[in-house]
Amino acid sequence: AQKITQTQPGMFVQEKEAVTLDCTYDTSDPSYGLFWYKQPSSGEMIFLIYQGSYDQQNATEGRYSLNFQKARKSANLVISASQLGDSAMYFCAMREGVGNEKLTFGTGTRLTIIP
Amino acid sequence: DVKVTQSSRYLVKRTGEKVFLECVQDMDHENMFWYRQDPGLGLRLIYFSYDVKMKEKGDIPEGYSVSREKKERFSLILESASTNQTSMYLCASSPTLFRGAKNIQYFGAGTRLSVL
């Protein structure tokens, strides 16, 4: 089974609208962390936001927020007031267990913002 | 500022050549990683290292080896390049923080390798 599933290969969104990128995960470990990265056309992966499995509140970083629904094993990224510069690939990733440094990535969603 | 530098953005090699991809980080991080990125497959871990001279296989180590002689440098080696190793290669590093902490991996800009 896939550890991280991103079901939207591509999305088109009008500028200034909010957008939700889906991510579901699969783990039996009670301790895990969820990450979102952005990859512009330049290629570099940029860290956006993190949610720990024991965090009580949803993570927020500026225009980015993470809609964490633990029972449903989903960790959707919400971008408010989208901008042209948000056009990029977005990857969801998970780190399982304590002391494990490795990340497992999803297949990514290509977001295109339309002016 | 955090910096992970990959020596080449683009490389073109011939089948059978020995290929070295170099990665250097300036953050004194213990952990370094090599990923391969292919369309529709996301990022897959090839190898990672948690200390100098220490390495551990990732999900797709076949056809690759690594070297970490100094803390700041992690090299990926294709002993005999094949066309199915044409891909984007990404290097990352991270510190070893206390257990369970948010531990961000910082990435280089990637090397796009073509094997002809």
Side-chain angles (χ1 to χ4, degrees):
Chain A
Q2 293 288 334
K3 292 274 188 180
I4 295 286
T5 302
Q6 295 181 253
T7 56
Q8 307 151 309
M11 286 188 70
F12 291 84
V13 172
Q14 204 74 40
E15 190 180 6
K16 299 180 185 175
E17 288 185 355
V19 56
T20 298
L21 304 181
D22 295 341
C23 173
T24 57
Y25 59 92
D26 182 27
T27 182
S28 56
D29 199 306
S31 178
Y32 55 89
L34 297 156
F35 300 75
W36 277 93
Y37 282 85
K38 172 184 179 181
Q39 186 182 42
S41 55
S42 58
E44 186 173 348
M45 297 280 284
I46 301 166
F47 166 75
L48 295 178
I49 197 166
Y50 167 84
Q51 181 85 42
S53 59
Y54 297 115
D55 293 344
Q56 295 297 312
Q57 294 192 328
N58 287 347
T60 60
E61 294 280 354
R63 292 188 301 113
Y64 304 107
S65 60
L66 204 152
N67 183 3
F68 182 46
Q69 298 188 42
K70 198 169 181 177
R72 299 179 63 182
K73 293 189 174 179
S74 77
N76 298 339
L77 177 70
V78 180
I79 306 173
S80 63
S82 57
Q83 303 170 355
L84 296 178
D86 294 332
S87 294
M89 281 290 287
Y90 289 81
F91 290 95
C92 180
M94 176 173 64
R95 187 186 67 246
E96 293 178 88
V98 176
N100 173 29
E101 303 294 343
K102 294 183 286 185
L103 292 179
T104 301
F105 284 82
T107 53
T109 296
R110 181 171 296 282
L111 176 65
T112 303
I113 307 300
I114 306 165
Chain B
D1 220 9
V2 166
K3 194 76 175 174
V4 178
T5 303
Q6 294 184 231
S7 53
S8 306
R9 290 300 305 272
Y10 301 94
L11 270 181
V12 180
K13 296 293 181 180
R14 296 277 182 199
T15 303
E17 276 192 74
K18 190 168 186 176
V19 181
F20 292 87
L21 302 183
E22 306 286 348
C23 176
V24 176
Q25 50 98 358
D26 66 358
M27 298 159 286
D28 201 36
H29 285 170
E30 290 79 14
N31 307 302
M32 295 189 75
F33 307 82
W34 274 107
Y35 293 91
R36 169 176 174 158
Q37 181 181 2
D38 299 289
L41 297 178
L43 278 73
R44 295 178 290 166
L45 182 65
I46 304 171
Y47 267 98
F48 84 99
S49 168
Y50 49 91
D51 201 351
V52 175
K53 296 191 188 293
M54 306 302 285
K55 62 185 179 185
E56 195 168 309
K57 291 181 180 178
D59 300 316
I60 52 164
E62 297 79 19
Y64 304 94
S65 62
V66 290
S67 172
R68 193 166 180 202
E69 297 295 319
K70 293 185 177 181
K71 191 175 184 179
E72 67 271 19
R73 186 179 296 269
F74 192 35
S75 302
L76 179 69
I77 304 158
L78 287 66
E79 294 288 343
S80 178
S82 63
T83 54
N84 63 13
Q85 292 178 310
T86 291
S87 187
M88 173 75 141
Y89 291 88
L90 289 160
C91 175
S93 73
S94 70
T96 295
L97 302 179
F98 63 89
R99 298 167 84 185
K102 172 171 106 174
N103 199 8
I104 300 166
Q105 287 188 15
Y106 297 91
F107 283 81
T111 296
R112 193 167 292 282
L113 173 67
S114 295
V115 183
L116 306 178

